[in-house]
Amino acid sequence: FTAAGSYSISVTRQEVHVSGSPFNLAVFPNVLHPAASTVFGAGTVSAMADDPASLCLQGRDMFGNPLNASLPLNATTGQSLNSATVAIVGLASFTPVPFALDYTTNMLCSQYTSPIAGSVSLDVKLNSVSIAQMPLQVEVSKRDPPTL
């Protein structure tokens, strides 16, 4: 099985269910696979210089099954979904920002603030590995000065 979920398996012999059939089977997501994980939100497309821009991360296994971000460690590998960061590539003064669990969506979310306007590249990493969509080009606009 590659798709996580609940399954019912029927075992028959001469078109008659064997004892206990059908059986229930729960298939859980595999281990975290950064290359299959995805990032989304307004901050993945555009941002305003000097204003926080938001994005969220969905950790996935190698088959694309979503992982539960509220589970602190993967029982098999000890990998944590909580070691995710977002950084602006090529901007030495920018410190990578960690993601935090949003309990209402059960997603890892973060905010970054670009100090510069223009096209910037974001790099989102899970356990120090860039996810599939990276680097991500984001257009950062300059805020118009207030009119008096």
Side-chain angles (χ1 to χ4, degrees):
F1 290 89
T2 58
S6 296
Y7 296 90
S8 178
I9 299 176
S10 298
V11 179
T12 60
R13 182 170 185 245
Q14 296 177 346
E15 298 182 25
V16 175
H17 284 278
V18 299
S19 179
S21 178
F23 303 96
N24 292 323
L25 176 67
V27 176
F28 297 97
N30 204 328
V31 298
L32 174 66
H33 192 69
S37 299
T38 55
V39 65
F40 59 93
T44 64
V45 178
S46 63
M48 187 71 65
D50 299 319
D51 283 352
S54 300
L55 63 158
C56 291
L57 174 68
Q58 175 62 71
R60 295 183 181 274
D61 70 10
M62 65 187 292
F63 304 109
N65 295 303
L67 298 177
N68 187 336
S70 67
L71 298 176
L73 291 175
N74 178 296
T76 306
T77 64
Q79 291 177 313
S80 171
L81 279 178
N82 292 323
S83 60
T85 58
V86 59
I88 297 177
V89 178
L91 190 58
S93 63
F94 189 86
T95 303
V97 179
F99 281 74
L101 180 63
D102 179 335
Y103 289 98
T104 59
T105 63
N106 199 31
M107 296 282 183
L108 292 173
C109 296
S110 186
Q111 290 186 333
Y112 67 93
T113 303
S114 176
I116 59 171
S119 183
V120 299
S121 295
L122 295 184
D123 187 19
V124 174
K125 293 185 177 185
L126 265 170
N127 299 328
S128 302
V129 178
S130 295
I131 68 169
Q133 299 160 280
M134 300 303 115
L136 190 65
Q137 293 302 121
V138 176
E139 287 303 315
V140 179
S141 300
K142 188 175 179 180
R143 182 168 299 285
D144 291 330
T147 55
L148 301 174

